[in-house]
Amino acid sequence: MNCRNRKITAAVSALIAVLIVFAAVAPSIVGEAEEPVQEAPALGFAVTTIMVVFFVMGAVTGYAIHEAYDKLTEKGTGDTDSYVRGEETKAVAQSILSGLAYYDNALANYSQIWPLTNEHHIRQAEITSAYNWGKDLTYDPSLILDSSGFYTNASYMLRNAAAQVNSHFDNLNERIQIWNGTDTYRNMMNVEISYGLDSISSKSSAQTYVGTAVDATSAKNKVYITGGDIWVFGGSAVISSDAARLTLNEGRNSLDSMSGFSEGVYTLQSGRSYAGGILPVVDANAAAVMTSLVLKAGNDVKLAKLTSQGIIVDDVVRDKISITIHPDGAESKSVDITELMTDYDELLKTIRVSITKASNAAATVWNIFDKAGEANFYLTTLMMPDNYDNISITQEQQEILTVLAMEQLSDYYSKNDQKIKTGDYSFSKESLTLYVRGDLYTSTGDKLYENVIFTPFVYGQNFNLNIGKNTLNQPGIMAVWSTEGTPLSSWNAAANMNDASLVNMSENCMLDVYEMYYDNAPSSSVSLEVTKLKLINSSEFPDPDPTDSVPGGGLTLEQIVKLICIIAGLLMIIGGLLARFNWTLIIAGAVIIIGGLLLAGPILGLARFL
């Protein structure tokens, strides 16, 4: 109990003690005012004895109430501030536990949902393979997966998955700053991050960051990086891509704020460890990417890596990672966060499988192009499903199955081409979100089509289409609906199969747009936005004020005042009854009980004043 509450309770107890003393001596005082009554000595002695007993009982009850209040409100800590720190510690530890439970569920869902995107990424990789194929070129998996947007999507998936839980632990660090701004907590809350038998701790700051890590060697040093924070261990380091060369400091580096940074495949300086949003690549020099936790307490920083041997910190295998909050004068609380690494590792494994599938599919069609001597945009391995979780198909097997499927498809078309290509297809132009009238040119400036109505399709990156000349920044397909050159306002949108066609166009080809309709209205500019993942800013966690008072659970001061008044009043009533129905004492006792119940607040105010 703090000093102020002790004074208040003592003052109230003193006021009530006066009433109890009065209850003990009142019978003799009243008796002197009345006519003398002859009493047997034994009876007088008995009455006196009973009154003494009641006096002692009242004193003991008052002392018990006083001590009970101490114990109920102080929980045995002997100091209210210590108890408050203990309650705050329990609340923060429970918050971490709850956050980890939500995150465990979210990661399990991510790991199940992501494989359902495999077909999309496989098709993107196959299209990119067709456009990059050449007779004298060798298949480059990183070029294909980067150009198709797959590396970016996979990297964003990992970074988005890490962002929310990292924000949750940022909240713990912010909590420490709030603690150090109050007298109750300042330098009295030590946060310890343990890894096996060793630990780092601080009263000023503590954070953890989940992500991926690599130990770069001279032979295994390539990864994909889209930005965010990169931690370097072992000294400063140089990383380079085809477009950038950056020097990173030991510790934390914000790539997004570094001049010249652009996402891509990076070669990492060997002899260093790196952690952050790092994606594995398909390359002969690809670095081994592991799930990691960066542990930071004060100025101490450690890197925990999840390997096949277990969790490695400082080249030693550790059994677990935990966070413990040590409040001065109260019980410490510990939270095991090891599962955070294993949950995130499941997502990393799932994405690694997707990378392999997309690369194998792109390599398969590339090999077929090599044998055929030409590429075809429409060739796909998806004609044969590969949806097993427990059965894998090699690239060679996939190539055989794809060729056999093409054989079946070719036979199907040769038998039914006249039935399915009837020339009477039609649709309303309202069903087309975008249709354009203009000319199509090759990359060398030769005119392919003049005054045709078409819809452009691109797949790699966003493309802005405007009235006038537009140069493609990527390969695309133009679905030509009509070659009649009819103004869009009067076009009846009847597409004859003998007139319609698909036109493959490479990067740097040109579209000369006369007019276009978007969402059934004339438009001068349209942005073609390719479907892809976007980085999500993690939600800000609420940051309520720390516990600063003892919550309910013990008797309040007002309740104690009422209880003492009831006991004192009962003692006076009993004394009055024993004193041959002394109505003065009986009425006074009743008044004290009623007054205590109704006026406990004012009595407490008087005690505070005293």
Side-chain angles (χ1 to χ4, degrees):
M1 181 186 296
N2 60 34
C3 184
R4 180 176 178 81
N5 282 349
R6 288 184 183 277
K7 290 180 180 179
I8 292 172
T9 304
V12 172
S13 299
L15 288 175
I16 302 306
V18 173
L19 296 175
I20 295 175
V21 172
F22 175 75
V25 302
S28 61
I29 296 174
V30 175
E32 291 176 359
E34 296 177 347
E35 295 182 2
V37 178
Q38 297 294 325
E39 284 186 335
L43 180 58
F45 176 78
V47 171
T48 302
T49 302
I50 292 173
M51 295 308 297
V52 171
V53 170
F54 275 112
F55 175 82
V56 173
M57 184 176 68
V60 171
T61 302
Y63 177 79
I65 293 171
H66 181 80
E67 290 302 305
Y69 180 71
D70 274 354
K71 292 180 180 179
L72 285 170
T73 57
E74 294 172 4
K75 307 297 182 183
T77 64
D79 176 36
T80 301
D81 286 349
S82 296
Y83 172 69
V84 166
R85 287 192 292 271
E87 290 300 296
E88 170 75 0
T89 296
K90 288 190 287 187
V92 172
Q94 185 58 51
S95 172
I96 295 174
L97 276 173
S98 298
L100 290 176
Y102 296 142
Y103 189 68
D104 174 67
N105 180 269
L107 270 179
N109 276 301
Y110 299 157
S111 297
Q112 291 186 72
I113 293 171
W114 177 263
L116 301 180
T117 70
N118 283 347
E119 283 75 10
H120 169 79
H121 291 115
I122 285 172
R123 189 67 190 115
Q124 293 287 86
E126 290 172 344
I127 293 170
T128 306
S129 187
Y131 279 114
N132 282 276
W133 177 85
K135 290 183 178 180
D136 299 323
L137 299 178
T138 302
Y139 174 69
D140 182 345
S142 275
L143 171 65
I144 300 302
L145 296 181
D146 185 8
S147 301
S148 69
F150 180 48
Y151 277 162
T152 298
N153 284 341
S155 177
Y156 282 7
M157 181 71 242
L158 286 171
R159 289 179 60 187
N160 285 340
Q164 196 63 67
V165 72
N166 288 342
S167 177
H168 189 49
F169 284 108
D170 282 343
N171 191 242
L172 170 62
N173 188 59
E174 292 168 3
R175 199 70 171 174
I176 297 173
Q177 312 313 310
I178 295 175
W179 288 340
N180 287 329
T182 64
D183 291 338
T184 302
Y185 295 97
R186 186 177 292 110
N187 294 322
M188 297 182 188
M189 303 288 282
N190 187 43
V191 178
E192 179 184 21
I193 304 176
S194 302
Y195 41 96
L197 299 177
D198 298 315
S199 67
I200 54 178
S201 64
S202 174
K203 295 181 179 180
S204 61
S205 65
Q207 293 167 286
T208 65
Y209 303 91
V210 68
T212 49
V214 300
D215 295 324
T217 68
S218 57
K220 302 294 182 181
N221 53 26
K222 287 192 174 182
V223 296
Y224 196 84
I225 302 175
T226 56
D229 291 338
I230 295 294
W231 294 77
V232 181
F233 298 84
S236 60
V238 175
I239 64 173
S240 58
S241 66
D242 291 341
R245 179 181 174 86
L246 305 172
T247 299
L248 305 184
N249 297 320
E250 184 171 17
R252 189 175 187 175
N253 299 265
S254 176
L255 296 181
D256 297 333
S257 63
M258 297 184 70
S259 176
F261 171 77
S262 61
E263 67 178 63
V265 177
Y266 277 81
T267 300
L268 308 179
Q269 181 177 334
S270 62
R272 306 285 190 271
S273 294
Y274 304 80
I278 299 173
L279 183 76
V281 297
V282 181
D283 191 279
N285 300 115
V289 176
M290 305 161 281
T291 292
S292 69
L293 265 180
V294 175
L295 314 175
K296 186 177 186 298
N299 294 322
D300 294 324
V301 182
K302 297 291 182 180
L303 176 60
K305 298 171 290 188
L306 184 60
T307 71
S308 57
Q309 298 174 305
I311 299 172
I312 306 293
V313 182
D314 291 339
D315 298 323
V316 177
V317 178
R318 317 288 178 162
D319 59 340
K320 66 177 183 178
I321 307 289
S322 63
I323 295 177
T324 304
I325 304 173
H326 301 284
D328 284 10
E331 182 182 357
S332 300
K333 291 294 180 182
S334 183
V335 179
D336 189 333
I337 63 172
T338 309
E339 192 173 1
L340 171 61
M341 297 186 73
T342 57
D343 290 340
Y344 193 80
D345 194 56
E346 287 301 313
L347 178 61
L348 176 60
K349 290 177 181 176
T350 300
I351 289 177
R352 189 179 284 115
V353 169
S354 295
I355 292 173
T356 300
K357 284 180 176 290
S359 178
N360 284 348
T364 295
V365 296
W366 186 286
N367 287 344
I368 294 174
F369 299 155
D370 279 344
K371 293 174 181 177
E374 64 176 322
N376 188 289
F377 172 88
Y378 309 102
L379 178 61
T380 177
T381 62
L382 295 177
M383 290 184 289
M384 282 296 297
D386 176 18
N387 297 324
Y388 293 117
D389 287 331
N390 59 340
I391 298 177
S392 60
I393 298 176
T394 66
Q395 183 185 320
E396 292 76 11
Q397 294 168 344
Q398 191 175 54
E399 184 175 339
I400 293 171
L401 293 173
T402 300
V403 172
L404 292 174
M406 277 198 300
E407 199 173 67
Q408 295 280 339
L409 187 60
S410 175
D411 181 61
Y412 176 84
Y413 183 75
S414 64
K415 290 179 179 178
N416 300 289
D417 63 326
Q418 295 304 313
K419 298 177 184 178
I420 60 179
K421 193 174 181 179
T422 60
D424 60 358
Y425 286 92
S426 64
F427 50 85
S428 67
K429 58 185 177 184
E430 288 76 18
S431 66
L432 281 174
T433 303
L434 173 66
Y435 49 101
V436 181
R437 185 169 68 89
D439 302 334
L440 306 179
Y441 291 85
T442 66
S443 58
T444 58
D446 297 328
K447 185 179 290 186
L448 292 172
Y449 286 87
E450 182 177 4
N451 199 12
V452 295
I453 297 173
F454 64 95
T455 297
F457 292 90
V458 294
Y459 66 93
Q461 52 190 303
N462 296 347
F463 179 66
N464 292 321
L465 185 66
N466 303 292
I467 297 296
K469 299 185 185 312
N470 300 264
T471 300
L472 286 175
N473 61 348
Q474 61 192 301
I477 300 173
M478 306 301 127
V480 176
W481 305 114
S482 172
T483 58
E484 296 177 357
T486 306
L488 298 181
S489 59
S490 58
W491 178 46
N492 65 10
N496 187 291
M497 287 294 291
N498 295 320
D499 195 18
S501 62
L502 294 177
V503 180
N504 300 336
M505 301 187 74
S506 62
E507 185 176 357
N508 296 320
C509 286
M510 191 184 72
L511 315 177
D512 190 0
V513 177
Y514 304 161
E515 61 173 333
M516 60 179 160
Y517 270 57
Y518 175 71
D519 202 16
N520 299 313
S523 177
S524 60
S525 179
V526 174
S527 177
L528 305 180
E529 299 180 359
V530 174
T531 301
K532 60 182 179 181
L533 290 181
K534 298 177 177 64
L535 281 177
I536 300 173
N537 292 324
S538 59
S539 300
E540 291 294 329
F541 284 91
D543 205 4
D545 293 335
T547 306
D548 61 1
S549 61
V550 178
L555 294 175
T556 65
L557 289 174
E558 188 170 328
Q559 289 172 331
I560 288 180
V561 170
K562 291 179 180 180
L563 182 59
I564 294 176
C565 287
I566 291 172
I567 293 175
L570 287 176
L571 287 173
M572 294 186 73
I573 291 172
I574 294 172
L577 293 174
L578 293 174
R580 297 182 178 181
F581 289 91
N582 188 319
W583 290 104
T584 301
L585 286 178
I586 293 173
I587 294 172
V591 169
I592 289 175
I593 292 174
I594 296 171
L597 293 175
L598 299 178
L599 303 174
I603 293 173
L604 189 58
L606 177 60
R608 287 194 174 100
F609 175 76
L610 296 175

